[in-house]
Amino acid sequence: MIPGVERFIIEPAERFLEKVALFLPNLFSSLLILAVGACAAWLTKHIVLRILRMMKLAELSERSGVEGLLLKGGIREPFAAVAGRLAGWLVFSIFILISLSTLTVPAVERLLERMLLYLPNLFVALAIVVIGVLLANFFGRAALIASVNAGLAMAGLIGKTVKLAVFLFTLSVALEQLGIGKETVLLAFGILFGGVVLALALAFGLGGREAAQSYIEKKLFSEEERDDIHHL
Amino acid sequence: MQQLEAIGRAEILIGIPSYDNAHTIAHVVKAVQIGLAKYFPDKKSVIVNSDGGSKDGTMQVVRDTTIDDLQSILLRHRVEPVLKIATPYHGIPGKGSAFRTIFEIAKALEVDACAVVDSDLRSITPEWVELLIKPVVEGGFDYVAPLYHRHKYDGTITNSIVYPLTRALYGKRIRQPIGGDFGFSGRLASFYLMQEVWESDVARYGIDIWMTTTAIANGFRVCQSFLGAKIHDPKDPGADLSAMLYQVVGSAFDLMETYAPVWSRVTGSEPVPTFGFQYTVGLEPVAVNVDRMIDKFRLGVKELAGLWQEALPSGVVEELKELEQKGREEFSFSDGLWSEIVCRFALAVREKRVYKEHLLRSMTPLYIGRTASFVLETEESGAAEVEERIEQLCRTFEEMKPLLIGQWEHKEGREE
């Protein structure tokens, strides 16, 4: 044998094959876990879908505005289908993590550890956004109805502003939860909100000075337009 | 409690719910005292003021109010003294909670007959006591609803929703189902007390419609008594209309759910026995700003049509949009359109299509539009003509009932 061949080629090749031989079972078990995960995800998706249909979630999501939001986001599927799909992907992601961990590759393990630690934040942020959408719709609609009943011409704008403000607030809380630009998000929210209020104040004070004066005069000094109807 | 033990048992109880009514309640207490002395001299009677935490000394006014010279009013001396209890009520702030306390005292004193009268009445006379109590004591009735002469634009929720709906559903022509002044038997007071409704809107403005409906639907003997004019202290028009509408109409719709097996079997309607000598009374004018009402309706159509689509068929929403385009001269909200809207909202509340409070509060511009149309239509009409218009609306509601029953049963079928 040519000197050096054993040292430079055969020995590394043997070490490589040894490592491959050690790695292969892990790879197979990892692939097996992945296959089981795919089945479990498919099963979960259908079970969740069935449960949500039984709970008549379709009507509830339609009423609460979630369906409308999905449509606005370009998702034409009903909420139950989206929720089922999400649950399926969640299960599959868990199996992906388990399968990756069975590979026992140090770099992957470190990455997984960091991902696992971050995952709860992601779920909490997602929950905050969902609750935020529901609250924004609720308060936006309440503000719209109250403004219409008070006879305010800007009722539509008031309703939309309240909806947007609630949504932006919850979004900033969600982003803070994710640790994305903590100070920046809060600052941006403060500037945006303050800017909206300042813009409205300026618009009312400059653009609608006469309207403001007449409104205040009417409220404070005039009784002539009051109805005397006793409704009950 | 000690006061109740000292009284022991009483035969008649008159309840007066109040909240900051110091300047009007003395007149009401005096009228009741004289009424009891004049018409029920031999009966042991109690006046109960159930107060919601007034800060203007209402309860003290009640305690201090006495008739100094009964001789100049009555020919006959009273035998039994009229006792008074002024007590704060507990629970959700509202008229219903005040009534609950009155029912509790009525039960504790084992009274035979009760009546409740509003504390802001300016037109109450001693005869009201007789008219509300005698049908119970001598006629064997359990529930006496009031019948008033009111200005044609007064009591518009009653005229456009509560009376037509109650009459069409339960088949009894009780003209003022939410009049606020009622007579009832001790037996019915105990029955009311047993119901688990005191944490709902019944504790607020919903109490009147609940009392009337509960009495009719549970087969108690009902009648009505003509009391003359109903003139209130003028502070009420400032109250939040959408809150009133939500509580009254919401309670009426909740009762539809409770008593569906009762009203779904009723067809047509019948008059109820009416007591008292009916006479014409002069009424104070009611100022109405129709243009502002139409503007509010238009704003409602512009902003809330999307929400209404959850409750109303598209044809009805289109009709409302067409109405929004019309000027004052052509503005006419038909009986058919209005009765269908009320029925559809009842169905939508039942099916929980939208959060109930939002849906019912969004009904305010529709109600205002309907009221504006009614005012325009009856501008030149006298009391009798206006009454005939209301009768016509009631008949339209009765004609709408098969649709309501059909949709209601359809939903029940789907649930099964």
Side-chain angles (χ1 to χ4, degrees):
Chain A
M1 191 172 287
I2 301 160
V5 168
E6 191 177 338
R7 192 177 154 202
F8 291 108
I9 297 170
I10 297 182
E11 276 180 18
E14 276 176 358
R15 280 204 299 278
F16 173 73
L17 285 173
E18 249 172 59
K19 279 190 176 173
V20 168
L22 276 172
F23 181 70
L24 269 179
N26 289 345
L27 184 69
F28 285 130
S29 58
S30 171
L31 287 173
L32 189 70
I33 289 168
L34 219 55
V36 171
C39 294
W42 182 83
L43 210 64
T44 309
K45 183 180 125 180
H46 287 276
I47 289 170
V48 168
L49 195 63
R50 181 152 294 190
I51 291 171
L52 293 183
R53 276 184 186 154
M54 273 165 64
M55 287 166 64
K56 293 182 180 167
L57 194 86
E59 287 173 29
L60 185 74
S61 59
E62 210 172 303
R63 279 203 300 271
S64 60
V66 174
E67 209 89 305
L69 189 89
L70 292 176
L71 263 177
K72 274 184 190 166
I75 300 165
R76 297 205 169 269
E77 278 178 305
F79 177 68
V82 175
R85 193 183 290 252
L86 275 174
W89 272 106
L90 184 70
V91 170
F92 192 55
S93 325
I94 292 166
F95 274 88
I96 289 175
L97 294 177
I98 297 167
S99 85
L100 284 173
S101 69
T102 54
L103 292 173
T104 58
V105 179
V108 175
E109 276 176 345
R110 277 199 300 277
L111 195 73
L112 279 179
E113 197 184 319
R114 287 180 67 182
M115 268 180 74
L116 279 172
L117 285 173
Y118 194 68
L119 216 54
N121 289 334
L122 203 67
F123 286 129
V124 172
L126 199 69
I128 290 171
V129 169
V130 171
I131 292 168
V133 169
L134 297 176
L135 285 178
N137 281 336
F138 181 86
F139 286 114
R141 193 149 68 186
L144 173 69
I145 294 166
S147 311
V148 168
N149 289 343
L152 300 177
M154 293 188 302
L157 183 68
I158 293 170
K160 280 176 192 152
T161 309
V162 169
K163 190 173 171 177
L164 186 69
V166 175
F167 180 70
L168 282 178
F169 176 73
T170 48
L171 193 68
S172 73
V173 174
L175 288 173
E176 199 187 332
Q177 179 68 33
L178 292 173
I180 300 170
K182 275 186 180 179
E183 284 79 20
T184 320
V185 170
L186 266 180
L187 208 63
F189 178 74
I191 290 168
L192 190 70
F193 197 69
V196 169
V197 172
L198 185 67
L200 285 175
L202 282 173
F204 192 62
L206 297 174
R209 196 165 52 192
E210 282 173 16
Q213 189 183 352
S214 129
Y215 177 78
I216 291 164
E217 275 175 2
K218 232 182 253 177
K219 279 280 162 195
L220 292 181
F221 309 115
S222 167
E223 289 268 311
E224 63 184 2
E225 281 194 15
R226 207 185 72 172
D227 284 332
D228 283 342
I229 288 184
H230 189 282
H231 297 275
L232 292 179
Chain B
M1 203 62 201
Q2 282 176 335
Q3 225 177 332
L4 291 181
E5 279 169 14
I7 294 168
R9 194 185 176 280
E11 288 159 290
I12 294 172
L13 181 147
I14 309 288
I16 310 172
S18 67
Y19 179 68
D20 282 347
N21 300 106
H23 63 296
T24 53
I25 202 163
H27 168 69
V28 178
V29 173
K30 276 183 188 172
V32 170
Q33 275 179 318
I34 295 168
L36 289 169
K38 193 173 173 183
Y39 297 104
F40 303 100
D42 310 327
K43 306 264 185 203
K44 190 173 178 182
S45 307
V46 182
I47 297 174
V48 177
N49 168 226
S50 178
D51 188 77
S54 299
K55 291 171 188 73
D56 65 348
T58 299
M59 282 168 65
Q60 198 52 47
V61 171
V62 173
R63 289 189 193 106
D64 295 345
T65 302
T66 49
I67 309 295
D68 298 327
D69 186 13
L70 210 57
Q71 194 95 46
S72 64
I73 302 165
L74 304 175
L75 290 172
R76 182 182 162 178
H77 278 292
R78 178 166 175 80
V79 178
E80 288 283 347
V82 175
L83 304 159
K84 269 189 289 183
I85 299 172
T87 178
Y89 65 75
H90 302 287
I92 295 171
K95 191 178 172 183
S97 297
F99 275 31
R100 185 188 189 183
T101 300
I102 292 167
F103 298 153
E104 280 167 350
I105 296 173
K107 193 183 176 191
L109 296 176
E110 297 172 37
V111 298
D112 300 324
C114 313
V116 281
V117 288
D118 283 343
S119 51
D120 63 343
L121 284 165
R122 289 195 280 138
S123 58
I124 185 171
T125 64
E127 284 63 43
W128 284 35
V129 175
E130 184 205 11
L131 289 160
L132 292 174
I133 294 289
K134 255 197 182 146
V136 177
V137 176
E138 291 177 10
F141 286 94
D142 286 298
Y143 190 71
V144 189
L147 181 64
Y148 318 101
H149 272 323
R150 302 178 77 171
H151 187 276
K152 59 185 177 183
Y153 305 146
D154 207 7
T156 36
I157 291 182
T158 302
N159 294 345
S160 61
I161 307 176
V162 182
Y163 171 48
L165 186 66
T166 311
R167 172 175 151 168
L169 289 174
Y170 303 100
K172 301 281 181 196
R173 293 180 198 164
I174 294 180
R175 182 64 185 82
Q176 298 288 339
I178 53 170
D181 313 298
F182 306 105
F184 45 93
S185 61
R187 186 170 81 101
L188 184 55
S190 299
F191 183 81
Y192 284 147
L193 210 52
M194 283 192 301
Q195 311 306 307
E196 295 290 329
V197 291
W198 304 106
E199 300 302 317
S200 68
D201 285 325
V202 166
R204 301 185 180 93
Y205 284 116
I207 182 72
D208 299 327
I209 185 63
W210 178 79
M211 282 173 69
T212 306
T213 307
T214 305
I216 305 171
N218 288 285
F220 286 94
R221 286 189 69 202
V222 296
C223 66
Q224 53 188 1
S225 279
F226 179 72
L227 303 177
K230 180 173 183 171
I231 302 167
H232 270 274
D233 191 48
K235 72 173 182 185
D236 258 350
D240 181 6
L241 170 61
S242 70
M244 261 191 249
L245 201 64
Y246 163 60
Q247 288 168 29
V248 173
V249 179
S251 298
F253 288 173
D254 288 346
L255 286 160
M256 283 175 74
E257 182 78 49
T258 311
Y259 294 116
V262 176
W263 62 259
S264 57
R265 287 199 305 267
V266 176
T267 49
S269 64
E270 59 179 19
V272 294
T274 302
F275 299 102
F277 175 68
Q278 296 204 35
Y279 52 91
T280 312
V281 288
L283 296 163
E284 290 182 355
V286 171
V288 184
N289 187 333
V290 178
D291 290 326
R292 200 177 58 177
M293 291 169 99
I294 295 175
D295 284 346
K296 279 195 174 180
F297 167 75
R298 286 190 183 129
L299 181 66
V301 175
K302 194 177 137 214
E303 301 292 350
L304 301 176
L307 177 60
W308 293 340
Q309 269 165 352
E310 302 287 339
L312 304 173
S314 54
V316 173
V317 178
E318 283 311 310
E319 228 176 304
L320 289 169
K321 284 180 180 167
E322 280 169 27
L323 188 58
E324 186 237 328
Q325 303 294 323
K326 291 187 176 161
R328 181 186 162 121
E329 286 72 28
E330 298 169 293
F331 193 81
S332 174
F333 206 123
S334 72
D335 289 356
L337 178 63
W338 176 241
S339 54
E340 179 162 6
I341 286 171
V342 174
C343 290
R344 297 283 181 186
F345 267 75
L347 289 162
V349 166
R350 184 184 185 232
E351 291 171 18
K352 298 182 176 65
R353 285 187 220 158
V354 182
Y355 177 61
K356 184 183 163 192
E357 187 167 349
H358 285 178
L359 192 65
L360 291 179
R361 281 183 187 260
S362 82
M363 208 177 167
T364 311
L366 293 169
Y367 160 74
I368 290 175
R370 164 68 198 182
T371 306
S373 168
F374 181 79
V375 169
L376 287 172
E377 203 184 323
T378 57
E379 253 172 337
E380 306 296 327
S381 308
E385 285 169 280
V386 171
E387 209 48 40
E388 182 43 44
R389 269 299 286 113
I390 295 167
E391 285 300 298
Q392 201 180 313
L393 175 67
C394 290
R395 287 193 288 273
T396 312
F397 265 79
E398 285 176 21
E399 284 161 17
M400 192 63 67
K401 195 172 171 184
L403 178 137
L404 181 67
I405 294 174
Q407 293 290 317
W408 199 280
E409 284 171 356
H410 175 66
K411 167 75 182 167
E412 254 163 26
R414 274 193 295 168
E415 275 172 359
E416 281 160 13

